[in-house]
Amino acid sequence: MVNISETEARYTSGVYAKRPLAMVRGKGAHLWDDAGKEYIDCVGGQGAANVGHANPVVAEAIAEQARTLISLTEIFYNDKRAAMEEKLVAISPNHANRVFLCNSGAEAIEGAIKFSRYATGRTGIVAMMRSFHGRTMGALSATWNPKYREPFMPLVPDFSFTPYDNLDKAREAITDNTAGVLVEVVQGEGGVHPGSREFLLGLQEICRERGVMLIVDEVQTGFARTGKMFASEHYGLEADFVAVAKSIAGGMPMGAVLIGERVKKLEPMIHGSTFGGNPLACAAGVAAIGFIEKENLAGRAAELGAYMKGRLQRIESPMIREVRGMGLMIGVELKQKVTPYLHALMDRGVLALPAGLNVLRLLPPLVIEKSDLDIVADQIEHVLNHSAE
Ligand SMILES: Cc1ncc(COP(=O)(O)O)c(C=O)c1O
């Protein structure tokens, strides 16, 4: 029998810190490894699996579209793309009236950065400390962690950072050359930190006063994760650009920039992508968003998220500093490094993520059963109290 892990370990680029598991099948919030062992999945494709693994509605849409038309560049119109664009505009939290379709979160951020510069004729981008926006050169230039940035200096000029949730400092950081302010509604990789209403709406007001584009990164928070279709809706935040990806298309690679009405007309040729808006991803996206709406996954995330946060907050462990989050985007900040606990959980059939060095992050598919969340909470309690090695 082919050893999957050995083969991959030999040929993979090396840029990923791999766990010693080969996953071969998924259903809902469960994954199975090549030995047939079952896991409860709170990694959720790093947030790309909101509708659940192997979602039958999405699988059917992909199969049908694969037999009809897979690739078609945006120089032609297409039925599935038209439907996807119409849907994204209809659900956009910022009254968007146009959409740029692409293939990943980083690419959505790149698009929003370019469009901000184009729309304002300025060059500066103000991003937040603790931010994560992706690993391509523009998105990386707006990503805070020096570990990701330093090997690749020099990055794109005119990016600066200001502390998250500090409106006075943000006001000072914005200059007459600022094209855009880029912010996550809930900082994900940075440790699961929801922004305050005063900060986010205050930023929006300053941006409007100063003619600056507000770019909201909903790559991780979008598509019902936080208990609303978009986290912006919790605040009434209406950005000029909303960058989305991850769960946009049921796990198919796709990203989008939802473009608000304050943004001037974007002219042909200023941007583009061969695979952007391909009919296969669009068909998957229409099916996935339809499923999120029909099954009210936002309501489910709100309800189960509150339940799970309560369960985690009741864990008695000297190891826990704080439990925080929004909907089913939950962070458990520990007083120690999180990695040993993630491994202990994995051995006990639960997959979870880190966020920084000491936050345990849960991003389960939103179809997860309450009984599975109970098991996850029990296992977290167990490993925190029994295995610090
Ligand atoms: C908030 C946020 N923005 C952007 C990205 C980058 O997305 P991608 O990995 O699809 O390029 C991520 C990925 O984790 C993210 O969490």
Side-chain angles (χ1 to χ4, degrees), residues 28-42:
H30 291 218
L31 285 172
W32 284 263
D33 70 14
D34 56 345
K37 184 174 170 189
E38 185 173 349
Y39 297 82
I40 301 174
D41 178 23
C42 292

Side-chain angles (χ1 to χ4, degrees), residues 115-124 177-180 211-213 264:
F115 297 154
S116 296
R117 285 186 166 183
Y118 183 80
T120 59
R122 307 173 188 171
T123 59
N177 187 39
T178 303
V212 172
M213 298 288 113
K264 75 170 191 181

Side-chain angles (χ1 to χ4, degrees), residues 340-350 352 360 376 379-380 383:
Y341 299 105
L342 294 177
H343 283 277
L345 280 173
M346 195 166 70
D347 291 342
R348 303 178 69 82
V350 171
L360 187 153
V376 173
Q379 295 296 359
I380 290 175
V383 301

Side-chain angles (χ1 to χ4, degrees), residues 314-334:
R314 285 194 298 280
I315 293 179
E316 284 183 22
S317 168
M319 232 56 96
I320 296 181
R321 182 167 287 141
E322 191 185 24
V323 177
R324 53 179 181 259
M326 214 185 246
L328 277 172
M329 180 172 182
I330 299 178
V332 181
E333 184 171 333
L334 306 180

